[in-house]
Amino acid sequence: MAPPDPEGDRGAAGAMAPGKKITARIKRTLPVKGPQAPTLSELMRWYCLNTNTHGCRRIVVSRGRLRRFIWILLTLSAVGLILWQCAELLMNYYSASVSVTVQFQKLPFPAVTICNINPYKYSSMKDYLSELDKETKKALETFYGFSEGKSKVRRSVDEGNSTGSDFFKQIPLLKFEDFSKTATDLRSGQKRKIEGSVFHKDSSIVNSGDSNDIIGFQLCDANNSSECALYTFSSGVNAIQEWYKLHYMNIMAQIPLETKEKLSYSADDLLLTCFFDGLSCDKRHFTRFHHPLHGNCYTFNSGENGTILSTSTGGSEYGLQVVLYIDEADYNPFLVTSTGAKIIVHDQNEYPFIEDIGTEIETAAATSIGMHFTRSRKLSKPYSDCTETGADIPVENLYNKSYSLQICLHSCFQKAMVDSCGCAQYAQPLPAGAEYCNYKKNPNWMYCYYRLHEKFVKEQLGCQQICKDACSFKEWALTTSIAQWPSTVSEDWMLRVLSWDKGQKINKKLNKTDLANLMVFYKDLNERFISENPANTLVILLSNFGGQLGLWMSCSVVCVIEIVEVFFIDSLSIVMRRQWQKAKKWWNDRKRDRSGKPPEAGDLERQGHDNPVCIDEDLPTFNTALRLPLPQDNPLPRTPPPNYSTLRLETAFTEQLPDTLEVGQH
């Protein structure tokens, strides 16, 4: 093969097109490195020499160990600061700021639910509660000497014995002495030892009075009589009321709903007068719904007919004004100890939890309730752990109203009650296919209920962990003021007129302790809207990232892409290539060992080796390989020379590449 002619090569290069000249020059000047580097150390060296981040380059090109150590320390510090600042930016990105907006406009009037504190007329309930009342009066006589006359008490006791009452047999009232577990059974009058865990139902377990005043009752598991719980009260009033309420719920659970609605108050019984926004209203503006603990309740402006009333003027004259007939004489003396009504202001789509957040209205007084309307909106995930509609909560909504935290908690407890006790608690709606608890079908329900309620309060049922706050809700902040009503000078004529308005429905003159005046109104028409907004947007986050990278590492997006390419893609390819070579070598050795043939000399000659004389960083070309000296004494197998017949490519290439011209010039 004739040596190349330099003059001819330069002439061929001069005849090349300008684009090809630039391409040839780039190929000649750029080192063949990067992804083709054989080791990770060479890849890192190539990266430090060619990267746009100045710190990495200074580590390689700096002379002296001290200067190189300083640059390593500064670069690592900058990387640490970048990671810290970027973490702060990410945490700040998922935070939210609160904004408050106040608008002045015509406001929709909320729904106002009104209930009598006494759920059912006592005169109508006596037939159902007579046996329970007799046992309660006997307990009062035994504990405190309370008596309505010897003949009445004797007759009550005889009737109780004749009917074979099981109230005290199932849940006896007990009197404890000196905080010990020695108690006196009220029915037999005998002392006995009581076993079981003690639970104090009052806020304080310390009794400041006589220790003999400690009263409670024992609940035992019907399936295991050794499993018992003692519930003690520092006040006899609380103990008797709690005991009475348990049996009361057991009785009411067995009465049909239609019958209970007839036993409670009608709209004509509860409402005497009604005004809204200066205009007269009546019972047609109220919607009845039955509450298990409060009987018939009536909601003004419920929105069931598709119309929601609104008001355009604030002040007591333009709100809701009603006069309620309480009828204190027909109250149950053991079930309720206060007189009046309960109201709750709520949205039309919300369930009125009277027993939880209701406001009590007292009799012989005018109660004014001023409202401020606030709408709140929270951001859902990832900013907070709230729910939009409750569809993502694994708890069935038993109230047929929009989702709220209270609905979720009550529904969760009711489901746990049905699963654990086999029946539903009376104060909450019935799940599908369930029945309310009563002694006849569920003799163990009281013990099961108290145990379950104890777990619920201690957050051991998991309801507090499952249920979440609603992301959007409406709230009416209430300000209550009370004045004497009617006044002394106007009492006579007002009571006479109201008695006449009541007509033939009552046969007596009204007493002011039977009446309550209620006014509900907007104090102003300022609608407050509280909303959460993201503290940072995606654009601001990326800008902050870019600022941190540029400040500490003089780096840009291109630099980040370069880091990903080198440290992830190229490094992974080198590691995988090394592993593949090892696996291939292991497989070839295994095949050779199985065949039992020693490696041939031709195989060793065909294997390449690293020539220690070659210190050029670039990959060797054909011309440079010819100038490499042979190793002394031929300790390693030589690289076989190329097959020259394959180099005859004159017909494939019409021009000689410029990088082959330099060989002839030296």
Side-chain angles (χ1 to χ4, degrees):
M1 180 177 178
D5 185 9
E7 297 297 333
D9 293 341
R10 280 193 294 268
M16 292 174 61
K20 293 185 178 181
K21 288 182 179 179
I22 296 175
T23 304
R25 184 174 299 176
I26 292 176
K27 289 182 179 180
R28 186 173 63 254
T29 56
L30 286 180
V32 184
K33 288 279 186 129
Q36 300 180 11
T39 62
L40 289 176
S41 60
E42 293 186 11
L43 177 66
M44 295 299 104
R45 179 178 178 83
W46 172 85
Y47 169 74
C48 292
L49 289 174
N50 295 274
T51 183
N52 293 323
T53 55
H54 303 304
C56 297
R57 183 179 180 84
R58 299 299 301 176
I59 293 175
V60 177
V61 301
S62 296
R63 297 182 178 179
R65 295 183 178 179
L66 179 60
R67 184 173 297 180
R68 183 172 297 178
F69 173 76
I70 293 175
W71 275 108
I72 292 175
L73 183 62
L74 291 176
T75 303
L76 293 179
S77 301
V79 172
L81 289 172
I82 288 176
L83 295 177
W84 172 52
Q85 293 291 336
C86 290
E88 292 288 336
L89 291 175
L90 282 176
M91 295 175 63
N92 191 30
Y93 177 73
Y94 290 109
S95 63
S97 61
V98 179
S99 63
V100 180
T101 305
V102 180
Q103 299 178 352
F104 304 90
Q105 59 182 1
K106 186 176 181 179
L107 296 179
F109 202 80
V112 180
T113 298
I114 305 173
C115 304
N116 198 323
I117 290 181
N118 185 57
Y120 302 98
K121 298 177 183 179
Y122 190 58
S123 57
S124 303
M125 291 293 300
K126 281 187 175 180
D127 294 338
Y128 297 96
L129 303 177
S130 58
E131 193 174 3
L132 176 59
D133 292 345
K134 293 171 188 176
E135 297 290 353
T136 306
K137 292 174 183 178
K138 182 178 182 296
L140 291 173
E141 179 188 6
T142 304
F143 279 137
Y144 305 104
F146 174 82
S147 176
E148 293 182 310
K150 293 184 179 180
S151 60
K152 291 185 178 180
V153 172
R154 187 180 300 111
R155 183 172 63 250
S156 299
V157 173
D158 294 340
E159 292 175 355
N161 292 333
S162 62
T163 56
S165 172
D166 292 333
F167 286 111
F168 279 91
K169 292 181 181 179
Q170 294 172 348
I171 306 179
L173 271 174
L174 305 172
K175 181 171 67 174
F176 298 88
E177 298 179 359
D178 300 328
F179 288 100
S180 66
K181 291 188 178 182
T182 301
T184 302
D185 192 333
L186 290 183
R187 191 168 185 81
S188 62
Q190 297 179 353
K191 293 184 179 181
R192 56 173 177 165
K193 283 286 186 180
I194 302 297
E195 299 295 334
S197 304
V198 179
F199 298 92
H200 297 275
K201 299 294 289 183
D202 287 341
S203 59
S204 175
I205 64 173
V206 179
N207 186 8
S208 59
D210 189 1
S211 61
N212 292 332
D213 293 335
I214 300 177
I215 303 175
F217 49 85
Q218 182 186 34
L219 296 177
C220 295
D221 189 353
N223 301 322
N224 186 3
S225 58
S226 61
E227 291 290 334
C228 295
L230 306 179
Y231 293 89
T232 61
F233 302 81
S234 59
S235 171
V237 172
N238 295 338
I240 292 175
Q241 274 195 305
E242 185 75 10
W243 178 85
Y244 187 93
K245 187 180 296 184
L246 282 176
H247 294 292
Y248 171 83
M249 289 192 299
N250 177 74
I251 295 172
M252 298 305 298
Q254 304 176 54
I255 301 176
L257 178 60
E258 296 78 8
T259 304
K260 288 186 288 187
E261 290 178 348
K262 295 178 181 178
L263 297 174
S264 187
Y265 298 90
S266 65
D268 292 329
D269 295 332
L270 184 63
L271 304 172
L272 284 180
T273 64
C274 175
F275 283 91
F276 175 73
D277 208 7
L279 301 176
S280 178
C281 55
D282 53 29
K283 65 179 182 180
R284 293 173 297 179
H285 295 85
F286 290 82
T287 303
R288 184 186 69 182
F289 87 97
H290 188 83
H291 192 280
L293 298 181
H294 293 277
N296 290 340
C297 298
Y298 297 90
T299 303
F300 175 79
N301 194 28
S302 64
E304 284 193 356
N305 57 359
T307 303
I308 297 178
L309 302 176
S310 60
T311 180
S312 57
T313 307
S316 59
E317 297 294 329
Y318 299 96
L320 175 65
Q321 303 180 37
V322 292
V323 176
L324 306 175
Y325 179 60
I326 303 302
D327 195 10
E328 181 183 8
D330 210 7
Y331 266 40
N332 188 325
F334 304 114
L335 184 64
V336 293
T337 56
S338 58
T339 305
K342 264 192 172 184
I343 76 155
I344 181 173
V345 178
H346 59 95
D347 185 64
Q348 282 75 14
N349 294 323
E350 294 179 0
Y351 183 84
F353 286 97
I354 299 288
E355 69 278 14
D356 293 338
I357 55 177
T359 302
E360 293 189 352
I361 306 300
E362 64 178 283
T363 58
T367 304
S368 299
I369 299 179
M371 303 182 298
H372 287 292
F373 179 46
T374 302
R375 289 191 298 117
S376 300
R377 172 71 182 176
K378 297 185 356 180
L379 293 175
S380 57
K381 290 183 178 181
Y383 300 97
S384 66
D385 195 25
C386 66
T387 178
E388 294 288 349
T389 61
D392 56 333
I393 305 297
V395 176
E396 181 186 1
N397 189 339
L398 301 178
Y399 289 84
N400 197 25
K401 291 290 184 178
S402 60
Y403 175 87
S404 68
L405 179 61
Q406 284 179 300
I407 284 180
C408 181
L409 292 175
H410 285 284
S411 300
C412 180
F413 179 81
Q414 186 73 305
K415 183 179 183 299
M417 181 79 182
V418 174
D419 295 339
S420 301
C421 307
C423 57
Q425 203 261 347
Y426 174 71
Q428 297 164 3
L430 271 176
E435 294 181 350
Y436 284 126
C437 298
N438 63 80
Y439 290 141
K440 294 181 180 180
K441 296 183 179 180
N442 312 97
N444 197 39
W445 80 267
M446 284 192 180
Y447 176 80
C448 182
Y449 165 73
Y450 269 88
R451 283 294 190 182
L452 201 65
H453 189 267
E454 176 194 355
K455 293 182 180 180
F456 178 78
V457 172
K458 294 181 179 179
E459 299 185 4
Q460 296 177 356
L461 283 183
C463 294
Q464 287 81 356
Q465 290 75 24
I466 295 176
C467 297
K468 304 175 183 178
D469 288 323
C471 292
S472 59
F473 53 91
K474 299 177 182 179
E475 182 182 8
W476 284 267
L478 306 181
T479 303
T480 304
S481 60
I482 301 175
Q484 181 182 351
W485 180 90
S487 63
T488 305
V489 295
S490 61
E491 175 181 345
D492 184 61
W493 73 266
M494 286 189 65
L495 294 179
R496 289 180 180 272
V497 172
L498 289 174
S499 300
W500 183 84
D501 290 340
K502 199 69 174 172
Q504 302 297 326
K505 298 177 183 178
I506 57 175
N507 298 320
K508 64 176 183 178
K509 178 184 175 182
L510 294 178
N511 193 309
K512 67 178 182 180
T513 57
D514 293 330
L515 304 176
N517 189 5
L518 172 65
M519 291 174 286
V520 182
F521 57 91
Y522 279 114
K523 298 185 70 174
D524 53 50
L525 298 181
N526 299 344
E527 178 185 358
R528 294 165 179 82
F529 180 63
I530 302 176
S531 61
E532 287 184 347
N533 300 311
N536 291 292
T537 62
L538 183 60
V539 175
I540 297 177
L541 178 66
L542 294 178
S543 300
N544 292 333
F545 277 155
Q548 295 298 327
L549 292 174
L551 176 64
W552 298 108
M553 294 290 290
S554 65
C555 191
S556 63
V557 176
V558 177
C559 179
V560 173
I561 298 175
E562 183 182 84
I563 292 174
V564 172
E565 179 189 9
V566 173
F567 285 89
F568 292 95
I569 300 177
D570 295 345
S571 299
L572 182 62
S573 64
I574 290 176
V575 172
M576 295 300 294
R577 186 173 60 198
R578 286 297 181 91
Q579 295 299 325
W580 169 253
Q581 291 175 353
K582 291 181 179 179
K584 187 176 180 181
K585 182 178 181 299
W586 173 83
W587 179 254
N588 293 332
D589 294 342
R590 183 181 180 184
K591 288 176 62 178
R592 187 170 55 251
D593 293 341
R594 285 184 177 180
S595 61
K597 295 181 180 180
E600 299 178 358
D603 296 337
L604 296 177
E605 292 180 358
R606 285 192 293 268
Q607 295 179 0
H609 69 278
D610 294 331
N611 196 311
V613 184
C614 182
I615 58 174
D616 193 2
E617 295 181 355
D618 293 337
L619 293 179
T621 61
F622 172 74
N623 295 327
T624 56
L626 292 178
R627 297 199 302 267
L628 294 177
L630 296 176
Q632 298 180 358
D633 299 331
N634 197 17
L636 295 174
R638 296 183 57 187
T639 302
N643 188 0
Y644 291 98
S645 60
T646 60
L647 299 178
R648 298 174 181 177
L649 303 175
E650 290 83 356
T651 58
F653 296 92
T654 57
E655 298 179 358
Q656 187 174 1
L657 294 178
D659 58 349
T660 60
L661 301 177
E662 296 179 358
V663 180
Q665 295 176 2
H666 291 291

